[in-house]
Amino acid sequence: LMVISDVTESITREMKLEYEVSHDALSGLLNNKAFRRQVQKRLIDNEGKTGAMVMWDLDNLKYVNDNYGHEMGDRYIRLFADQLKTLNRYGAVVERHSGDEFMAFLCGNSEEELRGILCELRTRSCAVSLKVSDQYELPLRASAGVTWYPRQARDFETLVRYADFAMYMAKHSTKGVLQEFDLE
């Protein structure tokens, strides 16, 4: 019985350590290294599938931090991360990329199918708010960019670069939208 208990504790510790090494502590999403590894594996195994690399940037995090404090900013980050976790039901790989940036890679049968999933996520996320006081709730908003595998790029670095560029275009035009990458 003691041997079983020791082995169980050892396995539990090992699993916890593995989780901590591959996940962001604040959001519970994958970290950059684990995200890259999983997406690159999907790109190799993704024969005949369409993929979407998406990058989001929270639109109001600086405002939240400056006006309500960093603890409330952390709640805002976790609130958005919880929305992104719903992509797991579609087999997406999701990460917290940096402070207020997030990424996901989704695979499907067509760009239209993946656009539908992303539109559903946006609609659901726009209905969520962070309660910052008894009188005020701040709507959850993020600008996003997407690029398509294999039509626009086939490797991890290019997919990320194009999604980042599209997100930048969304952020500096009409915040809160999903901008598709366009080579032109």
Side-chain angles (χ1 to χ4, degrees):
L1 203 52
M2 288 295 281
V3 171
I4 292 172
S5 178
D6 286 346
V7 170
T8 302
E9 287 176 24
S10 176
I11 291 171
T12 302
R13 272 194 311 273
E14 198 172 301
M15 288 172 58
K16 183 179 178 192
L17 181 60
E18 185 177 315
Y19 179 87
E20 289 172 354
V21 166
S22 63
H23 288 77
D24 172 65
L26 178 62
S27 67
L29 298 174
L30 291 174
N31 62 27
N32 299 28
K33 195 175 198 175
F35 178 77
R36 173 186 288 270
R37 189 173 47 250
Q38 288 191 28
V39 170
Q40 286 178 324
K41 183 177 181 339
R42 296 255 174 111
L43 292 173
I44 292 167
D45 299 341
N46 197 24
E47 203 131 335
K49 291 276 192 177
T50 297
M53 181 69 79
V54 189
M55 180 180 273
W56 290 268
D57 184 281
L58 290 174
D59 290 333
N60 299 316
L61 184 62
K62 181 172 175 19
Y63 173 83
V64 173
N65 283 336
D66 290 350
N67 291 284
Y68 301 102
H70 288 273
E71 183 179 320
M72 194 64 73
D74 288 351
R75 288 181 53 205
Y76 196 64
I77 288 169
R78 283 192 299 269
L79 187 64
F80 189 65
D82 289 344
Q83 294 302 306
L84 293 181
K85 288 174 186 174
T86 65
L87 293 174
N88 290 337
R89 75 178 107 160
Y90 302 105
V93 181
V94 185
E95 76 157 338
R96 179 173 174 214
H97 190 66
S98 64
D100 64 346
E101 293 181 346
F102 301 82
M103 295 193 72
F105 185 74
L106 297 92
C107 293
N109 295 315
S110 68
E111 290 181 14
E112 279 66 41
E113 174 190 357
L114 297 176
R115 275 189 198 97
I117 293 168
L118 295 171
C119 285
E120 176 189 314
L121 172 69
R122 184 175 182 276
T123 300
R124 201 173 46 253
S125 295
C126 285
V128 174
S129 298
L130 175 68
K131 185 173 182 171
V132 293
S133 71
D134 288 338
Q135 295 83 24
Y136 185 63
E137 290 187 16
L138 182 68
L140 185 60
R141 294 291 180 269
S143 298
V146 63
T147 192
W148 300 102
Y149 169 89
R151 182 169 61 86
Q152 294 176 319
R154 293 179 173 270
D155 65 278
F156 180 84
E157 287 77 16
T158 307
L159 286 164
V160 169
R161 191 171 66 249
Y162 286 178
D164 185 30
F165 182 82
M167 183 272 299
Y168 178 84
M169 297 305 291
K171 189 87 174 165
H172 290 83
S173 59
T174 308
K175 287 186 175 186
V177 299
L178 174 70
Q179 176 75 43
E180 292 193 30
F181 178 76
D182 183 352
L183 275 170
E184 294 176 19

